[in-house]
Amino acid sequence: MGKIDLTRALRINTQTGELRGLKGAGFAWVKPAPSGAFTPATLFARGEKGTWTTPSGFFADTEGTQPAALGEGVARVSDLGESGWHALQPDPSRRPLLGRAPKGGRRNLFTRTEEFNTGSWTRFDIASLAQDGPTSPFGAPSWTLVSSGGTARLRQFRDHLPNTDYVMSWVAKKGTASILEFGNQGRARFHSVTFDLDAGAVISNGSGDWNPQASIQDLGDGWFCCAVRYTTTEGFNPASSEAGLRWSTAAGDSVYLASAQLELGSEPTPYQRVSSPLDVTENGATSPAFLHFDLSDDALEAEASNGWFDVIMFGRAKTWLQRNVRIPSGGTLAIGPTTITGGADNLLSSLGGIVGWLAIDRSLTDPEIDDLQGYYNAFGAAAVMGVSQTEPAPEPEPEPKEPDSSDAVWTLEDATYLGQSPALSGSDMRTVEFSANGLRAYAVFRSTEVVRQYDLSEPFDIQSAAPAGNGAHDFSGYIATGVRGDSVAHGFFIRKDTGTTAWLWNRTEIWELTLSTAWDITTATQTGYLYLGATMSRGHDIDWKADGTRWFVEDRNNDRVYQWDCAIPWDVETSTLAGSYAIPNGDGVRGIELDPTGSRMFLMHTTAQEAREYHLSTLWDVTTASVVRAVDVSGQSGNPRSIVFRPDGTQFFVGDASSRRVHLYGPPALDGRTYQTTDGETFQTSDNKLFTVEK
């Protein structure tokens, strides 16, 4: 019987339990969980060290006897596991505050939405304003507004974005007056939006540069939701924008008011009561608790065991997994002021409110992360948005040395031509890219304005690509909306550890794409953007360091390779320039690839029609590059525009813009074919390496 290779398996399910892959420890037997929902305690079934927390462990005192109240400082977050890693803050001035908000987040941009007599609201020409009116549809007493004559105004200043849809709504009921009017400061943006609270009708949409459109909804018992949608324009001060009532009425006229809401969008949504930024509720929806860190000095620390840990922080805006966090003997797991132990600088600012965390002294598997996400979603946690990895080896990093063929397999040495793809459908093909397993290829077509994907019959077998492809991402709808204002896309990279994030390069700007289905470019949507025109002139291709902390792009006008560091791994919007390399004899460079060790860089020089190999004396630092060899591709490609390697370095691929073909190069003996043995049996190379079949 042949042997089965399980070295990359995560779980093997049986009728009585499962085998779960553990980093560096083979497989461990895990008893089936008792009937009922998953809890993080399941992950510690073999006595693993670590901690896990939820809002149920937020306390106002370090002893854990008094649950924290809303808006109060949290002195202790109790460890719900068995390790006793309770996170503490004895200093009251440095404690994060307890907040609450619906799982979907805050939509209402107003604050103090049922407290119209506070300083959050400005009031003019109002004789009296008291919360003594009839009970509103949302259960609280309404406010009686009595005008002193002229133009009664009740409003808030809220920042507005240009060219954006907003909806403002109020719940109102007629008093001695039945007419209600909306408007804003100066009247130029919108004014005279008028409602009849007797008939429940819109009298006028009003007028103004922001094109107001009114609507009214009957809530019963004489109450109405009066709303106005408007679209902002350019050329106004966002910080001085205000919205609210602007009511031309006679002295003594009154109306009942409740539940003010300002939100993004074109239609009013269910009302959210905002008592403060840390207290947001919504009828019919739960509002889970969270920790708010001021990013100045708020912090919690837990005494921790020494070892290597996976640490996952569950935030309302983002969730972050930090792999291989080293905690020394006598060390702590720290949360705040701006990051976590082992995390990137300013990490907490991207996570939003924190609902809990987990640390465990082994690697979490993908199914376990899915289980955790399902569990913490009930507390309002966001989906996992990022993973960063620290090198686990405790030994000091060896001194960099000049690489050779014995310590790095990526090289152009002895490369020969092996074949080509069919001509691919599209116009002006640029960068070519592959999925991590090599079963899908991608190509950017500049003139067609798509990234097309191709399903391959065998890993990296580009010759099996169907010319029409297997779906595409059309970027024509947004590529020209950036600072550049044109569509000259070239570079493309897809994240290899997840397949759910990709980046598209457009000469001097980079667009982040999020794929709702891993590796399927047809599910991509644009979610991030960065313009680098102050530094870059004519870039073409991009590549990333495997941990997401640095990325690279070449520039043929400047004859340079630039490297950018991300304060938050994989987040291009946090990029800062970390140096550049002046390319000798640039020769129209269009294409870049670095090997997995960071010791070698490969550039495609279009004008010279050759690929060149550079060695880096300092790992991942292109400023230390020097050219060592080149391969002429002119015999196959007259217009080469990209270069990409197989992960094992045995083959590389060159994309030609004019012929729309991908050319394959590599050692001829390692071509992935099936060979015949002398005794009549066959065997096949796996990732271009021989394996033995045992009977």
Side-chain angles (χ1 to χ4, degrees):
M1 178 181 294
K3 290 185 176 180
I4 302 174
D5 180 8
L6 302 178
T7 58
R8 296 188 61 81
L10 294 176
R11 292 180 175 181
I12 302 175
N13 293 313
T14 72
Q15 290 182 341
T16 57
E18 69 179 31
L19 291 173
R20 181 172 295 162
L22 301 179
K23 179 183 175 184
F27 281 84
W29 181 253
V30 180
K31 295 180 180 179
S35 59
F38 165 89
T39 73
T42 309
L43 306 180
F44 297 85
R46 297 180 63 249
E48 289 92 339
K49 295 184 295 184
T51 182
W52 63 281
T53 70
T54 72
S56 66
F58 295 172
F59 290 92
D61 61 324
T62 56
E63 293 75 24
T65 62
Q66 181 64 45
L70 192 64
E72 189 175 14
V74 174
R76 172 185 172 122
V77 177
S78 290
D79 180 5
L80 301 182
E82 299 180 359
S83 298
W85 292 18
H86 307 302
L88 308 176
Q89 179 50 261
D91 184 348
S93 68
R94 299 188 59 207
R95 294 172 181 172
L97 301 180
L98 181 68
R100 65 174 177 177
K103 285 174 57 178
R106 176 183 174 182
R107 301 186 310 276
N108 193 347
L109 304 178
F110 280 148
T111 190
R112 304 287 186 180
T113 58
E114 293 181 3
E115 301 169 65
F116 301 139
N117 63 342
T118 64
S120 299
W121 295 91
T122 58
R123 299 173 294 279
F124 297 92
D125 293 337
I126 295 176
S128 64
L129 184 63
Q131 195 173 18
D132 58 1
T135 301
S136 76
F138 299 106
S142 62
W143 292 77
T144 306
L145 184 152
V146 180
S147 174
S148 62
T151 304
R153 282 161 285 178
L154 180 62
R155 65 196 187 199
Q156 275 191 25
F157 286 88
R158 297 286 102 185
D159 288 359
H160 281 59
L161 300 172
N163 303 315
T164 303
D165 288 338
Y166 288 86
V167 176
M168 180 181 67
S169 59
W170 293 69
V171 171
K173 183 175 184 175
K174 73 174 183 177
T176 61
S178 61
I179 303 301
L180 186 65
E181 189 177 348
F182 290 175
N184 78 327
Q185 187 179 31
R187 297 170 59 86
R189 294 162 196 158
F190 68 87
H191 65 92
S192 303
V193 180
T194 312
F195 304 88
D196 186 336
L197 299 180
D198 195 14
V202 174
I203 297 176
S204 172
N205 283 319
S207 59
D209 294 342
W210 286 0
N211 189 29
Q213 299 291 318
S215 64
I216 191 166
Q217 178 187 3
D218 190 344
L219 301 180
D221 196 27
W223 288 98
F224 296 93
C225 178
C226 303
V228 58
R229 184 199 72 198
Y230 54 89
T231 304
T232 59
T233 56
E234 300 279 358
F236 66 95
N237 183 357
S240 67
S241 302
E242 51 82 26
L245 304 183
R246 187 182 179 91
W247 183 32
S248 298
T249 184
D253 282 354
S254 66
V255 69
Y256 300 115
L257 299 173
S259 309
Q261 181 147 304
L262 176 67
E263 57 191 310
L264 295 169
S266 57
E267 298 292 337
T269 63
Y271 167 67
Q272 288 185 334
R273 180 182 185 273
V274 182
S275 296
S276 75
L278 296 180
D279 185 9
V280 183
T281 56
E282 180 180 331
N283 280 7
T286 59
S287 290
F290 62 88
L291 296 177
H292 170 74
F293 289 80
D294 65 3
L295 306 181
S296 174
D297 62 358
D298 289 355
L300 295 163
E301 287 191 359
E303 294 183 3
S305 304
N306 68 301
W308 293 92
F309 295 84
D310 273 11
V311 180
I312 185 165
M313 299 293 297
F314 297 95
R316 293 180 57 86
K318 282 187 179 181
T319 292
W320 194 265
L321 171 60
Q322 188 77 29
R323 292 198 182 275
N324 298 325
V325 173
R326 175 70 169 132
I327 298 180
S329 180
T332 62
L333 176 65
I335 302 93
T338 62
T339 188
I340 64 171
T341 298
D345 291 344
N346 301 313
L347 175 60
L348 287 185
S349 65
S350 68
L351 303 185
I354 302 298
V355 302
W357 55 83
L358 178 142
I360 191 167
D361 65 341
R362 62 175 174 84
S363 288
L364 292 166
T365 66
D366 287 344
E368 288 172 340
I369 294 171
D370 291 341
D371 288 340
L372 285 167
Q373 280 304 116
Y375 180 81
Y376 279 93
N377 177 260
F379 300 103
V384 172
M385 298 294 290
V387 179
S388 184
Q389 181 158 318
T390 306
E391 292 300 325
E395 296 80 16
E397 185 174 315
E399 290 295 321
K401 61 178 181 178
E402 181 71 11
D404 57 38
S405 58
S406 66
D407 57 23
V409 297
W410 287 35
T411 183
L412 301 180
E413 189 174 7
D414 299 326
T416 57
Y417 184 59
L418 300 178
Q420 65 183 11
S421 74
L424 304 179
S425 298
S427 178
D428 199 6
M429 187 178 80
R430 299 296 170 135
T431 289
V432 175
E433 172 70 311
F434 289 92
S435 63
N437 64 9
L439 291 174
R440 179 164 284 174
Y442 309 87
V444 175
F445 292 90
R446 172 182 288 183
S447 298
T448 316
E449 294 187 299
V450 297
V451 179
R452 188 161 283 129
Q453 63 188 18
Y454 303 87
D455 293 341
L456 309 180
S457 60
E458 297 290 338
F460 300 96
D461 181 10
I462 195 64
Q463 294 168 304
S464 67
N470 304 96
H473 168 68
D474 184 342
F475 52 79
S476 62
Y478 63 84
I479 196 70
T481 65
V483 176
R484 290 191 54 82
D486 57 3
S487 178
V488 285
H490 190 120
F492 179 76
F493 181 91
I494 191 164
R495 183 172 167 180
K496 300 304 184 292
D497 60 339
T498 65
T500 57
T501 312
W503 293 268
L504 184 66
W505 179 263
N506 191 51
R507 193 160 288 178
T508 57
E509 56 194 7
I510 187 169
W511 298 84
E512 178 190 87
L513 308 176
T514 297
L515 286 62
S516 59
T517 300
W519 310 111
D520 186 355
I521 197 62
T522 67
T523 67
T525 55
Q526 186 267 318
T527 53
Y529 171 81
L530 179 65
Y531 175 69
L532 296 168
T535 303
M536 304 288 300
S537 174
R538 203 178 183 95
H540 296 85
D541 200 9
I542 55 176
D543 196 19
W544 282 83
K545 189 178 177 182
D547 64 2
T549 59
R550 177 168 287 186
W551 60 281
F552 310 86
V553 57
E554 33 69 18
D555 188 316
R556 72 179 173 97
N557 275 9
N558 296 341
D559 285 339
R560 285 188 175 273
V561 176
Y562 294 93
Q563 59 191 18
W564 302 84
D565 284 350
C566 293
I568 299 175
W570 303 107
D571 187 347
V572 293
E573 295 180 355
T574 68
S575 299
T576 56
L577 183 63
S580 66
Y581 168 65
I583 307 169
N585 302 318
D587 291 327
V589 61
R590 292 183 178 91
I592 184 171
E593 182 95 331
L594 277 78
D595 81 336
T597 70
S599 64
R600 300 189 178 197
M601 175 176 67
F602 303 85
L603 300 179
M604 177 53 63
H605 296 265
T606 302
T607 305
Q609 297 176 319
E610 64 181 19
R612 294 176 190 167
E613 178 179 333
Y614 299 76
H615 290 183
L616 280 59
S617 59
T618 299
L619 303 182
W620 300 108
D621 186 356
V622 299
T623 67
T624 66
S626 58
V627 64
V628 294
R629 62 177 59 91
V631 168
D632 186 352
V633 299
S634 62
Q636 301 81 39
S637 178
N639 194 8
R641 298 296 180 107
S642 66
I643 182 170
V644 61
F645 274 74
R646 285 182 66 127
D648 61 6
T650 55
Q651 296 171 338
F652 66 92
F653 306 82
V654 174
D656 187 285
S658 302
S659 68
R660 308 184 314 282
R661 295 181 185 273
V662 182
H663 300 281
L664 170 64
Y665 301 81
L670 298 176
D671 57 6
R673 294 178 297 177
T674 300
Y675 297 87
Q676 190 78 18
T677 62
T678 55
D679 60 3
E681 294 181 301
T682 61
F683 65 95
Q684 186 175 8
T685 60
S686 173
D687 286 342
N688 288 330
K689 293 178 176 62
L690 300 180
F691 68 89
T692 302
V693 177
E694 298 181 4
K695 296 181 178 179

